[in-house]
Amino acid sequence: GQNIDQPTEMTATEGAIVQINCTYQTSGFNGLFWYQQHAGEAPTFLSYNVLDGLEEKGRFSSFLSRSKGYSYLLLKELQMKDSASYLCAVRDQSGGYQKVTFGIGTKLQVIP
Amino acid sequence: NAGVMQNPRHLVRRRGQEARLRCSPMKGHSHVYWYRQLPEEGLKFMVYLQKENIIDESGMPKERFSAEFPKEGPSILRIQQVVRGDSAAYFCASSPIASTGDTEAFFGQGTRLTVV
């Protein structure tokens, strides 16, 4: 099975930087995803990590440490439109097939 | 290149009726996941299907819920004898292959089921 933990809520100021952490436990790790979900909408893909290190994509970066079972999503130069839930998802292949399991999501509120 | 299509977007059912939710994956995708999201909660895995096969249904309630992905046509999530607690958003995601790479799952817009 899998266990994914992330904070339920965070608040940050427009223009600032925020880091959203995710810890996981899985027996057959095969990649970690971050998704953004605005209220009432479908999740949209942000980033993917399978090797240790930092992946940068514009204002968003994602970091992975497989030995620590830890990832974070870094959002720079926050904008009001970044207010959304951010979902950490882990792909596991221990059952002989791929399965993607999501954390509960971190609800980020960006304030002026 | 259409994305993942779910219909209906909104569905209202009375208690005891059946709900059928449809998902057409992206072209070329043969793997489908169904998730349920209760208000203010995260996505909960329900079932993972490939064409004509249920691979993992560990997240499906034991009764009233079933899913299929036939050789032709969309994937169907069926909820029989709906109850108020079934009210939620049901998301479908599809991916092209299951083995490796940054093949993220693409989500449909979801079906919001309301049981009255």
Side-chain angles (χ1 to χ4, degrees):
Chain A
Q2 295 164 3
N3 192 24
I4 301 173
D5 289 311
Q6 50 182 132
T8 53
E9 292 181 348
M10 296 183 74
T11 302
T13 306
E14 190 176 14
I17 299 173
V18 70
Q19 177 174 312
I20 302 174
N21 297 324
C22 171
T23 58
Y24 64 89
Q25 294 172 315
T26 184
S27 51
F29 178 81
N30 191 26
L32 186 143
F33 301 86
W34 283 95
Y35 281 82
Q36 180 190 60
Q37 187 180 26
H38 284 99
E41 298 183 10
T44 55
F45 170 77
L46 288 178
S47 69
Y48 168 78
N49 296 72
V50 69
L51 300 177
D52 292 349
L54 189 68
E55 295 283 339
E56 297 188 75
K57 193 184 288 187
R59 294 191 298 116
F60 293 4
S61 304
S62 56
F63 171 84
L64 175 67
S65 168
R66 288 171 296 171
S67 61
K68 295 181 180 177
Y70 168 68
S71 172
Y72 68 72
L73 179 70
L74 195 71
L75 291 75
K76 303 175 188 173
E77 301 169 13
L78 279 173
Q79 302 174 9
M80 298 300 289
K81 68 178 183 179
D82 296 329
S83 293
S85 286
Y86 291 85
L87 308 170
C88 172
V90 173
R91 184 165 59 195
D92 180 276
Q93 60 178 13
S94 57
Y97 54 85
Q98 307 283 329
K99 179 178 173 180
V100 178
T101 301
F102 284 79
I104 198 167
T106 298
K107 194 171 183 179
L108 173 66
Q109 184 181 13
V110 179
I111 57 175
Chain B
N1 183 18
V4 179
M5 304 298 293
Q6 287 188 249
N7 67 83
R9 290 290 306 276
H10 300 275
L11 181 62
V12 179
R13 284 287 178 266
R14 295 188 184 279
R15 281 179 294 170
Q17 290 184 318
E18 179 180 283
R20 280 196 179 203
L21 288 63
R22 284 175 287 276
C23 169
S24 295
M26 285 182 72
K27 188 176 180 180
H29 288 194
S30 58
H31 299 263
V32 166
Y33 300 82
W34 284 94
Y35 294 88
R36 176 164 64 175
Q37 188 172 39
L38 295 169
E40 304 300 317
E41 294 190 11
L43 290 163
K44 295 283 173 58
F45 169 80
M46 297 183 76
V47 63
Y48 165 41
L49 309 105
Q50 296 177 21
K51 284 282 187 180
E52 299 184 278
N53 285 307
I54 297 175
I55 306 302
D56 182 349
E57 56 182 347
S58 59
M60 290 277 272
K62 293 286 185 282
E63 297 176 350
R64 302 189 298 109
F65 284 72
S66 62
E68 63 178 11
F69 189 15
K71 187 176 180 181
E72 301 291 338
S75 175
I76 306 285
L77 179 68
R78 185 182 293 112
I79 311 173
Q80 296 176 304
Q81 299 172 350
V82 296
V83 301
R84 288 239 170 92
D86 297 332
S87 296
Y90 292 84
F91 287 98
C92 165
S94 74
S95 65
I97 60 173
S99 56
T100 59
D102 59 346
T103 49
E104 74 273 20
F106 293 87
F107 281 84
Q109 290 299 304
T111 294
R112 277 144 190 86
L113 172 65
T114 302
V115 180
V116 297

